[in-house]
Amino acid sequence: MGMSLAGAARRGAAFAARLAPGPRRALALLAFWFVIAIVGPLLAPHAPGEIVDRDVFAGFSARHWLGTDYLGRDLGSRLLWAVRYTVLICTLSTLLSCGFGIMLGIAATAMSVWVERVLGRLMDGLLSIPSLLFALLVIAAAGESVPALILTMGVIYMPGSYRTSRALALRIAQADYVMAALARGEGRIFVILREILPNMTGPLLSDIGLRFVYAVLLLSNLSFLGLGVQPPLVDLGSLVRENVLGMVYGAPAVVVPTIVLALLTVGLNFALDRQRP
Amino acid sequence: MGRLILNRLAASAFSLAFVVVTIFAITAALPGDVADTLLGQSATREATAALRHAMGLDQPAWVRFGRWVWGMLHADPGRSLMTGRPVAELVGPRLYNSLLLAAATAAVSVPVSLVLGLACTMARGTLFDRVVTLLMLGTVSVPVFLIATVAVFVFAVQFHVAPALADINAVHSPLQFIRVFLMPVVALAGATTAQMSRMIRACLIDVFSAPWIEMAVLKGVAPVRIVLFHALPNAIGSVVNAIALSLSSLLGGVVVVETVFNYPGMAGLMVDSVAARDVPVVQCCALIFCVAYLSLTTLADIVAAASTMRGRAH
Amino acid sequence: MTHMISVRGLHVVGRRGDGGEVPIVRDVSLEARRGEVLALVGESGSGKTTIALALMGYARAGCRISGGAIAVAGHRVDQMDAGELRSFRGRTISYVAQNAGSAFNPALTLHQQVIEPALAHWVLPRRDAERRAIELFRAMALPHPETIGARYPHQLSGGQLQRLMAAMALITEPEVVVFDEPTTALDVTTQIEVLEAFRTVLVHRGITGIYVTHDLAVVAQVADRAVVLRHGAVCESGDTPEVLARPRTPYTRELVAACHLPVRPKGLDPAVDAASGTAPEPVLTLSDIVVGYGRVDANGLPAHRILDGIDLSVTRGRTLGIIGESGCGKSTLARASAGLQPPAAGTVRFRGETLAGRVARRTPEQRRRVQIVAQNADLVLNPAWTVGAILERVLRFFHNLRGAVARAEALRLLDIVQLPHAVFDRRPPELSGGQKQRVNFARALAARPELVLCDEITAALDPVVAAAILTLMSDLQETLGLSCIFITHDLHALRAVCDRVAVLLGGHVVEQCDAAALMRGAHHPYTRLLVSSVPEMRPGWLDEVVAQRSAAAAPFVPTAVGEGCPFVSRCVTRIAGVCERVRPPVVATADGGRIACHLPPGDLPVLAPGNSTIDA
């Protein structure tokens, strides 16, 4: 067991070492946020709903490191829970959208022309509904439950992932080494899994990272509008929303979640950015 | 050329059909009935059924769909469930307000983005370019509400130059117009400009790395002429596309900004209606947004196609 | 002032990804007198283009001129500011780029671009500039000089664009013109016309030329003096005949030797087969192959044909060379044989067995026997796999070898292609172009094939590396008794490895003959044109060819219609009314060749042995 774990870790490290710096940095950042999301709430000193102080919008102090919110709850604890919800909801929805998108995108290279064309048209149709609008529509009909949010965001970002992975797979399918494999008589599955997929990982990881950022932005916007994660649950967007009045006092309750949210999205985007001079 | 435009229009028509069906399917076919919502959980089954019947909800989905599409084609999107007023009456003035906001935003962000994108391309690799690029990337990366709240904080709370809430009825002079529109437009244009100038820079850099630009430099052509005479004719297609794409992504921003500033636009109406499960209003707003989005991207595609065909048509 | 161009201690550095700088050009000094043509010769990465651009005070993105004195026509280029550089470039010194297809702006007419330097530098009023442009078009022997300028770049051929670019460079009557590999992207038959046009204007106008190239044979035709570069430094310089005939440094000797590939030894003559009493057995036979795209007619034949009625066969243990210019369908021929592009008509037979058109329908044994080695080694090896995994996969797939056995066999294959065992654990991006092509070979050999299809395997390599690959291929073919199809556009390479030759033009085989007979005897007019267009490494060759051709210049005729001969528009000996309409009959020649031409065998053009010194 220990042996195989060590082996897996070594293989993972070797894999990461071969990645371009962009996806590698993004992967490291994602891992960091994931750890916070898992471990964070276990370290929280208070329950997220517990009112611990009569002083609302309190500043930084030794008792409440990050101050208190509009009801006098411990902001640090709520923030840790908020990060968990934001990161986990977006991770799940990204896994959903990219999982299906990538599978379909790669399969599209091996599908009959007609199936592929119909699929492409459907994806184009989905893409022509602006993402926030789509989310609002679903929420209007199905309500703001967390599974509905995950599913909706999964659907919203699938066409983009489909397009990217299909374009990538098509380009690689043109490469002479794929031709060589086909000339050898390798099966379709082998060609897809061993010849095409390994050469997509770098760009695909970038794309997944980007879609994760989109999901975080959409979820935060929805929650800020009051249409995303509902109390008693809390995510970064709703944390800002409920404390927005504290802005007048410059309270940490609104400033800190804002900064954490910006750190999450801006950090990932900077890591992934290829548009360098 | 004509065929290309026809093809594009056909594709858009298909997308439109898809959008119409999807909007209806999501709002009408998903679990969660309007009658339940309206009457609440305590209502009797009979009461719910009666209301359903009164609203035509007990009819098959395709009948309701047909009726809805038919109504839309006659500019009659039905009645609001909450207020009972015709949806057209609710949406009309707010659509005007939203268009005003969008126009003001476009008027600010398009020229600014063009200048920024061009300046960054010309000064590529310099400190200026790097700072601007990072700023734009940072702006693109944060949610719109964050920009809006920061705008409120700076302009209303700190400097008191503009009211925190937009009151469109108070507009009687150009100065008031600017004061009322300042913050929504700044917030929206900030987000849009960041996206647009990034995309324009990418398009231009793509064109500027072409061998014929190097050739023009080696011919001793002046930089201004290189930009205007050599680069722009080749960049127009992709730049127009970039502008259209970023303007259409402005839609998401409009929703947030109208809510934050309590601006009486269509997006604000839509958010309220979503919260209230007022389906006819939501459907109508969604359809208008989607049509706007589709027309913008279609138009951009046609312009782009026309501009690339020009040099090759002979 | 003694020198038109004088460079002292030039250094150019490039920025690395981590911010550090690497030298690209190191301490280069050179000079050229007025009216002289100086060639900068070197392989890729030798810094030759960087030096040429530095003469114009220009460094590409990421590069920087970091030291040295550059004087051109009395100006100190290294001390100019941006404004001075702008009025210097295009006025005193002008540039002819490598690929005219991409160096012209696609959105502007050629006229706008050609006269632009004259207008930008206020040399001539617009009307005079237009007049001079037309004069230059005429001097460049461009068709329709009056109206050609109104066209857009994509409407003209590569050779025409290259001459238009030279006209653009000359419009301001500059003192110096820099030619950056101006004929590398052209076919050999076009290259001659362009070279001749360049040389004429340079000589007539007394212009000083800098000619950047990797091709020593071209250097011999155009340059008075040559500077040989390697790794960004000067390796050798001197008068062209001197450098080519008596190279002093080992590297130059290697370069010169790579241009004199030994012609394939004729030990494998038909005489051997005759002695053993067996008729030569064909391995692969293509009969009446048609490949194309577009609408399919009643007979199932496509409207646009890349290959049309191909009949060829490869004899066991021999190499069939297929030569032709870009777009003649030679790569399609390889793909069709391998089953990657199924033919619309015709059959592919392998040792009597008919092969399916589609590779998926062939049996594993059939696939094993025919292996393809493709052109671009960068794309042909999966960058995610190690070299060892690439070879072991093939061994396992075809021969079910695993573990230590497979590894040992893979290492043996590396030995065969003369690669060190250390390569086993590397991935393709870490290898050089030559090494990749060797791995490519090893992969084909791992299947233990009977026929190897080699598609332009040396096209992307530098001459010295290419020569080594060709030697390797020749050796392997002999020691392993392989049969090969060798597809190329390079006559030298062809003669170095092939036994028999097929000449492909417009999807048709216009001639087949023994490689040994290629340089003498009667041939198809196209073969003759092709063979006589390959530059030779002796000064004066261009003059001879041009003199011969101008004597037999033919007026332009409409292209072939229907079944007509694909060469009719360029043929000087065509029979009016016949050649453009009727498919030429295939005639057998005395020495075993087959020629598709309407001319009676006695009237076919003859290549006199003394006419060519390629054998030298």
Side-chain angles (χ1 to χ4, degrees):
Chain A
M1 182 65 197
M3 282 296 282
S4 74
L5 256 181
R10 209 174 42 244
R11 272 202 303 279
F15 171 76
R18 278 199 289 120
L19 283 175
R24 196 166 59 212
R25 273 175 295 166
L27 215 59
L29 262 178
L30 269 178
F32 165 78
W33 285 107
F34 210 71
V35 169
I36 299 249
I38 301 291
V39 179
L42 305 180
L43 305 176
H46 300 278
E50 185 190 349
I51 297 179
V52 293
D53 208 315
R54 288 167 58 195
D55 194 8
V56 297
F57 290 134
F60 305 111
S61 70
R63 255 188 78 204
H64 306 294
W65 289 359
L66 297 179
T68 57
D69 75 348
Y70 75 114
L71 289 179
R73 293 175 289 193
D74 179 51
L75 188 79
S77 306
R78 286 184 71 71
L79 188 68
L80 289 170
W81 280 95
V83 169
R84 169 179 277 192
Y85 275 105
T86 297
V87 170
L88 289 190
I89 289 177
C90 293
T91 303
L92 285 178
S93 80
T94 307
L95 284 181
L96 206 63
S97 60
C98 292
F100 277 99
I102 292 170
M103 258 194 318
L104 284 174
I106 294 175
T109 58
M111 278 190 252
S112 83
V113 182
W114 278 108
V115 177
E116 199 239 296
R117 207 172 278 175
V118 170
L119 198 64
R121 275 265 165 273
L122 286 181
M123 294 292 178
D124 280 355
L126 270 181
L127 271 178
S128 63
I129 305 178
S131 50
L132 189 57
L133 207 71
F134 194 98
L136 289 182
L137 274 173
V138 178
I139 290 164
E144 301 97 341
S145 72
V146 168
L149 282 173
I150 293 175
L151 206 67
T152 311
M153 295 205 301
V155 173
I156 288 175
Y157 292 116
M158 190 179 60
S161 171
Y162 167 80
R163 271 196 173 180
T164 313
S165 48
R166 178 171 164 273
L168 267 172
L170 273 183
R171 205 185 64 220
I172 295 170
Q174 303 294 319
D176 289 346
Y177 52 81
V178 175
M179 185 188 87
L182 291 174
R184 204 188 305 147
E186 299 280 8
R188 233 175 229 187
I189 304 290
F190 178 90
V191 169
I192 287 177
L193 289 185
R194 299 296 311 278
E195 302 278 356
I196 297 181
L197 207 54
N199 292 296
M200 291 172 70
T201 40
L204 270 190
L205 280 178
S206 296
D207 187 63
I208 293 172
L210 219 55
R211 263 164 237 297
F212 178 77
V213 173
Y214 291 159
V216 172
L217 292 181
L218 180 61
L219 180 71
S220 311
N221 271 330
L222 281 175
S223 292
F224 182 80
L225 294 174
L227 300 170
V229 176
Q230 299 294 320
L233 307 181
V234 61
D235 77 330
L236 287 170
S238 53
L239 205 56
V240 177
R241 173 190 165 85
E242 61 192 23
N243 292 311
V244 80
L245 283 177
M247 192 170 55
V248 184
Y249 323 110
V254 62
V255 176
V256 171
T258 310
I259 292 176
V260 169
L261 182 54
L263 278 181
L264 172 59
T265 54
V266 175
L268 265 176
N269 247 355
F270 274 22
L272 287 168
D273 188 37
R274 276 172 304 169
Q275 197 177 350
R276 285 282 155 80
Chain B
M1 178 70 210
R3 217 173 127 185
L4 211 119
I5 292 177
L6 277 183
N7 274 339
R8 187 62 188 81
L9 287 179
S12 298
F14 179 90
S15 291
L16 182 64
F18 180 88
V19 165
V20 170
V21 173
T22 311
I23 288 178
F24 185 82
I26 292 176
T27 48
L30 280 179
D33 195 306
V34 191
D36 292 333
T37 331
L38 272 183
L39 296 177
Q41 287 176 344
S42 55
T44 60
R45 190 170 292 175
E46 290 74 30
T48 321
L51 183 64
R52 264 206 196 112
H53 183 73
M55 292 167 66
L57 287 176
D58 52 350
Q59 282 169 317
W62 61 270
V63 175
R64 285 181 285 144
F65 178 66
R67 201 179 284 160
W68 181 62
V69 172
W70 186 252
M72 277 299 182
L73 285 175
H74 292 79
D76 172 24
R79 284 179 174 275
S80 160
L81 297 178
M82 301 309 295
T83 60
R85 291 167 60 198
V87 174
E89 237 173 66
L90 281 173
V91 170
R94 286 177 166 253
L95 176 61
Y96 171 78
N97 287 347
S98 282
L99 284 177
L100 206 64
L101 181 62
T105 305
V108 173
S109 58
V110 172
V112 171
S113 306
L114 276 174
V115 169
L116 270 181
L118 204 57
C120 282
T121 313
M122 300 300 293
R124 194 171 156 190
T126 61
L127 189 67
F128 168 80
D129 176 38
R130 276 184 216 181
V131 169
V132 172
T133 315
L134 279 186
L135 265 179
M136 294 303 155
L137 180 58
T139 315
V140 172
S141 317
V142 295
V144 182
F145 74 78
L146 212 148
I147 301 172
T149 29
V150 169
V152 170
F153 188 68
V154 172
F155 290 103
V157 179
Q158 291 289 340
F159 297 112
H160 302 289
V161 288
L165 297 179
D167 181 6
I168 207 154
N169 297 318
V171 173
H172 298 296
S173 72
L175 193 69
Q176 281 171 330
F177 178 85
I178 291 175
R179 271 175 57 98
V180 167
F181 272 87
L182 183 65
M183 283 203 302
V185 169
V186 162
L188 260 185
T192 314
T193 305
Q195 167 119 343
M196 206 184 284
S197 58
R198 263 171 70 79
M199 289 173 81
I200 290 177
R201 177 181 179 273
C203 298
L204 286 177
I205 281 185
D206 196 42
V207 169
F208 267 80
S209 58
W212 37 263
I213 292 287
E214 177 176 82
M215 189 69 218
V217 172
L218 292 176
K219 272 153 74 174
V221 180
V224 177
R225 189 177 154 85
I226 291 184
V227 171
L228 297 180
F229 189 68
H230 283 277
L232 278 190
N234 286 285
I236 270 180
S238 48
V239 166
V240 166
N241 247 324
I243 290 177
L245 275 180
S246 357
L247 279 183
S248 38
S249 75
L250 178 147
L251 282 176
V254 170
V255 174
V256 175
V257 165
E258 287 189 0
T259 315
V260 172
F261 297 104
N262 207 10
Y263 181 91
M266 202 174 70
L269 174 68
M270 183 168 171
V271 171
D272 294 343
S273 308
V274 166
R277 307 282 186 275
D278 194 344
V279 171
V281 183
V282 172
Q283 284 174 334
C284 177
C285 292
L287 193 61
I288 292 177
F289 273 127
C290 283
V291 168
Y293 184 92
L294 263 176
S295 352
L296 210 57
T297 44
T298 309
L299 191 72
D301 272 359
I302 291 175
V303 170
S307 81
T308 46
M309 298 297 276
R310 205 170 37 93
R312 288 139 223 249
H314 300 259
Chain C
M1 191 187 71
T2 49
H3 293 295
M4 177 58 88
I5 296 169
S6 164
V7 175
R8 289 270 153 266
L10 174 68
H11 286 266
V12 182
V13 292
R15 225 187 2 253
R16 275 199 316 247
D18 60 7
E21 290 187 322
V22 278
I24 296 174
V25 170
R26 283 169 300 175
D27 192 23
V28 165
S29 301
L30 47 87
E31 51 232 355
R33 283 186 290 274
R34 178 179 291 276
E36 194 175 58
V37 177
L38 175 71
L40 300 180
V41 190
E43 303 190 322
S44 52
S46 63
K48 53 189 191 298
T49 298
T50 312
I51 295 171
L53 289 173
L55 292 177
M56 308 185 75
Y58 182 83
R60 290 208 163 124
C63 301
R64 186 169 63 84
I65 299 172
S66 57
I70 309 165
V72 174
H75 304 277
R76 276 300 293 275
V77 180
D78 48 303
Q79 293 169 355
M80 288 181 178
D81 63 24
E84 289 169 326
L85 277 175
R86 203 181 310 141
S87 51
F88 168 72
R89 293 173 186 156
R91 174 75 189 89
T92 312
I93 183 167
S94 55
Y95 181 70
V96 177
Q98 171 167 14
N99 191 342
S102 60
F104 275 118
N105 190 329
L108 304 176
T109 65
L110 290 159
H111 223 110
Q112 286 174 308
Q113 303 185 57
V114 168
I115 65 171
E116 191 180 19
L119 303 182
H121 296 287
W122 312 99
V123 177
L124 288 173
R126 178 176 290 271
R127 183 163 309 174
D128 293 353
E130 283 170 4
R131 199 171 307 132
R132 187 183 287 171
I134 292 170
E135 269 169 44
L136 283 167
F137 294 162
R138 199 166 280 133
M140 290 284 170
L142 282 162
H144 314 297
E146 308 282 340
T147 54
I148 195 168
R151 299 172 147 236
Y152 284 89
H154 70 277
Q155 295 170 311
L156 299 180
S157 72
Q160 290 169 334
L161 286 177
Q162 212 68 55
R163 280 178 279 171
L164 277 156
M165 179 152 291
M168 180 164 82
L170 293 166
I171 193 119
T172 53
E173 305 198 312
E175 311 252 19
V176 181
V177 178
V178 174
F179 294 92
D180 188 0
E181 301 242 21
T183 62
T184 305
L186 304 177
D187 282 321
V188 275
T189 52
T190 326
Q191 168 171 280
I192 281 198
E193 299 158 17
V194 176
L195 276 182
E196 174 58 13
F198 285 174
R199 211 183 44 165
T200 314
V201 288
L202 283 180
V203 169
H204 284 194
R205 287 158 207 255
I207 288 168
T208 311
I210 296 291
Y211 201 100
V212 176
T213 183
H214 70 278
D215 187 343
L216 289 176
V218 170
V219 172
Q221 309 316 316
V222 297
D224 302 305
R225 294 201 310 115
V227 174
V228 180
L229 297 157
R230 188 186 196 191
H231 304 325
V234 174
C235 179
E236 177 166 353
S237 65
D239 291 338
T240 305
E242 193 67 21
V243 170
L244 296 185
R246 278 174 290 282
R248 293 191 306 272
T249 58
Y251 176 67
T252 315
R253 256 177 256 147
E254 221 180 313
L255 272 186
V256 172
C259 295
H260 291 293
L261 290 175
V263 174
R264 186 171 170 82
K266 300 183 183 68
L268 289 157
D269 262 49
V272 180
D273 292 317
S276 62
T278 52
E281 178 200 356
V283 182
L284 184 82
T285 313
L286 306 177
S287 24
D288 215 18
I289 294 284
V290 178
V291 180
Y293 56 94
R295 195 179 292 276
V296 175
D297 68 11
N299 301 324
L301 298 179
H304 303 279
R305 294 178 199 168
I306 307 167
L307 292 177
D308 195 358
I310 299 289
D311 277 305
L312 279 178
S313 64
V314 188
T315 312
R316 184 167 193 185
R318 297 299 159 80
T319 302
L320 170 69
I322 298 197
I323 191 165
E325 294 177 318
S326 51
C328 70
K330 51 191 191 297
S331 287
T332 308
L333 187 75
R335 292 172 58 87
S337 308
L340 293 167
Q341 199 161 352
T347 50
V348 181
R349 274 200 301 278
F350 192 84
R351 300 178 68 178
E353 236 177 278
T354 303
L355 298 184
R358 224 170 262 289
V359 72
R361 303 239 176 88
R362 296 186 181 176
T363 67
E365 188 58 14
Q366 288 171 340
R367 291 194 299 259
R368 180 188 68 75
R369 289 165 152 187
V370 181
Q371 290 290 312
I372 188 163
V373 179
Q375 169 178 12
N376 193 336
D378 287 334
L379 292 177
V380 87
L381 303 175
N382 192 332
W385 290 34
T386 62
V387 169
I390 289 171
L391 298 178
E392 284 177 348
R393 174 67 201 171
V394 180
L395 293 168
R396 175 169 173 184
F397 188 87
F398 284 124
H399 308 296
N400 206 19
L401 300 183
R402 285 152 203 259
V405 188
R407 187 185 162 89
E409 177 66 10
L411 288 174
R412 195 183 68 86
L413 286 165
L414 289 182
D415 286 336
I416 290 180
V417 296
Q418 296 160 13
L419 282 174
H421 287 189
V423 166
F424 189 86
D425 290 316
R426 304 238 185 99
R427 286 171 213 277
E430 305 163 43
L431 305 180
S432 71
Q435 287 177 319
K436 275 187 255 191
Q437 203 56 284
R438 283 170 196 265
V439 174
N440 197 359
F441 248 112
R443 181 177 59 184
L445 295 178
R448 293 174 203 147
E450 290 171 40
L451 176 74
V452 180
L453 305 164
C454 304
D455 184 7
E456 293 270 22
I457 52 170
T458 57
L461 303 176
D462 281 319
V464 173
V465 181
I469 292 282
L470 288 178
T471 313
L472 172 74
M473 183 198 148
S474 219
D475 291 350
L476 288 179
Q477 200 248 345
E478 258 168 64
T479 51
L480 303 176
L482 291 172
S483 318
C484 294
I485 291 186
F486 183 79
I487 291 168
T488 186
H489 68 279
D490 178 356
L491 191 74
H492 292 290
L494 183 89
R495 299 191 64 218
V497 296
C498 295
D499 304 296
R500 195 159 169 91
V501 177
V503 181
L504 210 57
L505 173 67
H508 296 264
V509 176
V510 295
E511 172 165 2
Q512 288 186 60
C513 67
D514 284 334
L518 195 60
M519 309 307 292
R520 56 182 156 75
H523 284 284
H524 190 282
Y526 175 65
T527 312
R528 196 191 101 113
L529 176 72
L530 201 62
V531 169
S532 66
S533 297
V534 178
E536 292 171 25
M537 221 178 67
R538 64 188 163 93
W541 167 84
L542 186 58
D543 302 290
E544 290 169 22
V545 178
V546 171
Q548 276 175 19
R549 295 217 176 150
S550 55
F556 182 79
V557 288
T559 44
V561 284
E563 301 275 74
C565 174
F567 188 54
V568 67
S569 61
R570 289 193 279 164
C571 187
V572 289
T573 50
R574 65 175 169 266
I575 306 163
V578 177
C579 288
E580 60 262 43
R581 290 174 195 291
V582 187
R583 169 172 290 202
V586 178
V587 182
T589 63
D591 47 2
R594 292 155 65 80
I595 297 174
C597 186
H598 286 292
L599 287 178
D603 292 354
L604 284 171
V606 175
L607 281 162
N611 200 356
S612 167
T613 51
I614 282 189
D615 297 76

